[in-house]
Amino acid sequence: MHRMAKEVVQRATRLMLPKWSACEGDLQFPHRVAMLAPGGTQEVRLNDAQIRPDVRVIAVADQALLPALYVEIKVSHGVDWEKRQRVIDAGYTMMEIDLADVGDEVLQDEEAFANQVLDCPGNRNWVHISSAPFLARMLDQEVVQITSHKVQEKRVPTKRGNTLILQTQDYLAYTAAREDPVLDRAELADTWANGQRVDGLGNPLPYAPGLYTKAYVPGGGWHGGGHYKTHLRPIIQDTPENQQKVLRLL
């Protein structure tokens, strides 16, 4: 069954993508049908993450491109937490199709089996989405990508003739309306909690590499008690109810 499913995905021209949610349901999009480009590859070895996904495809959904979507087929063993964390750490986009409950009758019917692999919305989930432009288009909102811990100094003259020294951090801003990201700088807060510099949401600063959305913090701004303009909320994918476990941030 495992080999048959991989061949079905490799030959396919379309694939139902799972629904997705993050930040306890604040961010979400429904199932989508993606068109697949020719040339899917089986048993791709990703040496840097010690992962060998079942199939790699090129997918397009709602004009959003995934140049490398990795597909895992579950028959007896699914993607465990250790493997999922390696996928997150390496920055891959991966989904899993669960065929553990497919019976012999479906297995012997080529059309019914292909439907289970390609079109059934209830047997698939996202392991991880790392593509900021894909998420921005799916969510129809801005998604921020931090790529480095590096910070810079920014000097701002005040009305009293003093100089305010801020720390800034570069980020890429993706939106559904733009093909290319905009390079911008986050102005970091100057507050501390438990010996750690934090923003208005309590996130450690500088921000760790990963995907974020911008957040509003009451009292923020140039003179808001040390909180400056940018506060980012990390995008943490929700997990099924029976698999609640906190993942490390990138």
Side-chain angles (χ1 to χ4, degrees):
M1 183 191 302
H2 191 255
R3 177 183 57 80
M4 290 171 55
K6 289 191 294 183
E7 291 175 353
V8 168
V9 174
Q10 184 181 18
R11 297 194 307 264
T13 58
R14 74 185 190 286
L15 177 66
M16 177 72 73
L17 301 182
K19 63 182 179 180
W20 179 88
S21 69
C23 302
E24 299 181 342
D26 287 350
L27 303 174
Q28 56 184 294
F29 62 80
H31 297 93
R32 293 282 205 284
V33 175
M35 306 308 295
L36 304 184
T41 307
Q42 292 189 39
E43 297 291 344
V44 182
R45 186 169 184 82
L46 305 173
N47 292 324
D48 52 343
Q50 297 181 336
I51 300 172
R52 183 177 289 179
D54 290 322
V55 188
R56 179 180 61 196
V57 297
I58 300 172
V60 179
D62 291 351
Q63 298 183 328
L65 173 66
L66 281 174
L69 169 60
Y70 298 99
V71 182
E72 284 282 83
I73 308 296
K74 175 184 175 182
V75 175
S76 57
H77 301 290
V79 176
D80 59 21
W81 285 102
E82 181 180 354
K83 183 173 183 178
R84 184 181 180 196
Q85 191 62 59
R86 291 202 303 270
V87 171
I88 292 172
D89 291 343
Y92 296 125
T93 295
M94 180 181 289
M95 60 176 282
E96 181 179 57
I97 302 172
D98 185 354
L99 301 179
D101 294 330
V102 171
D104 291 342
E105 183 176 344
V106 172
L107 188 60
Q108 295 171 12
D109 184 324
E110 183 176 344
E111 183 176 348
F113 182 69
N115 179 71
Q116 286 291 316
V117 175
L118 301 177
D119 300 318
C120 182
N123 67 353
R124 59 205 61 215
N125 63 82
W126 289 104
V127 176
H128 182 59
I129 298 178
S130 65
S131 171
F134 177 78
L135 270 184
R137 188 169 289 276
M138 291 294 99
L139 297 172
D140 194 24
Q141 73 174 70
E142 185 178 58
V143 172
V144 168
Q145 182 176 28
I146 298 286
T147 60
S148 170
H149 287 91
K150 184 179 179 181
V151 298
Q152 304 89 22
E153 281 192 356
K154 178 179 179 179
R155 296 176 178 268
V156 180
T158 67
K159 293 181 179 180
R160 296 182 178 181
N162 299 321
T163 300
L164 194 63
I165 301 177
L166 308 178
Q167 280 196 339
T168 65
Q169 187 175 7
D170 289 349
Y171 66 82
L172 296 172
Y174 293 84
T175 68
R178 294 192 301 259
E179 291 188 8
D180 298 317
V182 172
L183 177 63
D184 207 342
R185 285 186 173 175
E187 295 168 350
L188 303 182
D190 191 22
T191 53
W192 293 77
N194 300 319
Q196 170 69 58
R197 189 176 184 177
V198 296
D199 68 4
L201 302 175
N203 297 310
L205 297 175
Y207 292 106
L211 303 184
Y212 298 79
T213 58
K214 289 183 180 177
Y216 171 73
V217 176
W222 287 100
H223 305 291
H227 296 294
Y228 297 110
K229 287 187 175 179
T230 310
H231 303 273
L232 302 179
R233 183 184 186 187
I235 297 177
I236 302 177
Q237 180 176 315
D238 296 334
T239 57
E241 292 181 2
N242 63 343
Q243 294 183 345
Q244 291 296 333
K245 180 177 178 180
V246 176
L247 297 175
R248 301 194 314 270
L249 293 180
L250 290 176

